[in-house]
Amino acid sequence: MDLKKKELIIFDFDGTLINSIPDLTLAVNKMLAHYNYSPLTIEQVTPFIGNGAKPLVRRSLEHSIKNKELSENLLEEAFDIYLSAYKEVTCIDTFMYPGVLETLNYLDEKGYKMAICTNKPFDFIQPILDKLEIRKFFKNWIGEDSLSEKKPSALPLIHLIKENNTSIEKTIMVGDSKNDILAAQNANTESIGVSYGYNYNENIADYNPTVVVDNFADLQDLF
């Protein structure tokens, strides 16, 4: 496997490039406070992350209301409250994982095209890239609401491959979640799993990425 022949590296965002859990937890707790539910800890919120914003709200509410039925109306209302709360706290305590900035610089200097494929709503991506001053590294990005399907569907990856005028063979996906690895497998691309993210408390190696790394900086040894 020669990763130096790749042209496009598609990165997941939350749990791979950035740790956004402090701000996601803050927004979730603002939503729960609206209904007089107790706040959740970062540890409680972490396994709820990965499929997008609405599943995060659904899991947080289900945890809080215990055995009561969660209606679609309540979910929609809570989702709106969550989105407006997250808009206010999008990048207060969110931070890049160790080695991310240096490694993005390294990959950029090597001439790789880089893109982001995340299950975070599209409107929140650029504000975080701007605040962390890493937008310049990425040609484009798509969120959970950019296309008709999101990860683990292959569609977002195929879309980015076309947008960047490259091929499946010359593309690789880097992520911390089974959604990233399954999306890569569905798109017939190779993948790198990072072991430090928020994969529902599961081991990323169980999903058979092409390679597993423990630190983001390890990518410098592969490319």
Side-chain angles (χ1 to χ4, degrees), residues 51-213:
N51 296 91
K54 191 172 278 184
L56 168 61
V57 172
R58 180 191 294 278
R59 290 166 186 151
S60 302
L61 273 176
E62 285 173 344
H63 177 92
S64 299
I65 66 178
K66 303 295 187 245
N67 299 320
K68 287 192 223 147
E69 190 67 32
L70 174 57
S71 72
E72 278 304 310
N73 285 346
L74 174 58
L75 178 60
E76 289 300 328
E77 180 187 70
F79 184 52
D80 288 342
I81 293 167
Y82 165 81
L83 288 178
S84 76
Y86 190 44
K87 203 171 254 184
E88 291 171 14
V89 299
T90 305
C91 197
I92 294 177
D93 293 320
T94 292
F95 59 91
M96 283 182 282
Y97 284 104
V100 167
L101 185 58
E102 302 89 318
T103 304
L104 291 177
N105 264 309
Y106 170 87
L107 295 169
D108 189 51
E109 283 170 11
K110 289 272 185 181
Y112 291 100
K113 295 176 182 176
M114 294 185 277
I116 291 172
C117 179
T118 173
N119 282 347
K120 179 188 282 299
F122 180 82
D123 286 349
F124 295 109
I125 303 169
Q126 188 173 321
I128 296 174
L129 292 175
D130 286 340
K131 179 88 182 284
L132 298 176
E133 299 180 348
I134 55 173
R135 180 159 64 133
K136 64 182 179 183
F137 294 116
F138 301 101
K139 302 281 184 210
N140 43 15
W141 46 87
I142 50 177
E144 66 166 342
D145 46 353
S146 298
L147 302 169
S148 59
E149 297 174 21
K150 61 184 178 182
K151 298 180 296 185
S153 165
L155 184 66
L157 273 61
I158 301 297
H159 176 84
L160 286 169
I161 289 167
K162 285 181 184 161
E163 290 271 295
N164 285 282
N165 298 314
T166 187
S167 65
I168 286 168
E169 296 73 29
K170 292 185 174 175
T171 300
I172 193 160
M173 175 82 210
V174 181
D176 69 303
S177 162
K178 62 184 177 186
N179 295 316
D180 304 312
I181 308 309
L182 294 171
Q185 289 164 355
N186 290 333
N188 291 317
T189 66
E190 291 184 299
S191 60
I192 297 173
V194 301
S195 65
Y196 54 77
Y198 347 130
N199 187 33
Y200 312 96
N201 295 330
E202 296 177 335
N203 187 338
I204 195 70
D206 293 346
Y207 292 91
N208 301 311
T210 315
V211 190
V212 176
V213 297

Side-chain angles (χ1 to χ4, degrees), residues 25-51:
T25 302
L26 197 54
V28 162
N29 285 334
K30 281 174 177 260
M31 177 272 294
L32 292 175
H34 178 84
Y35 300 105
N36 296 317
Y37 289 127
S38 302
L40 300 179
T41 64
I42 281 176
E43 289 71 28
Q44 286 172 311
V45 172
T46 300
F48 299 162
I49 296 167
N51 296 91

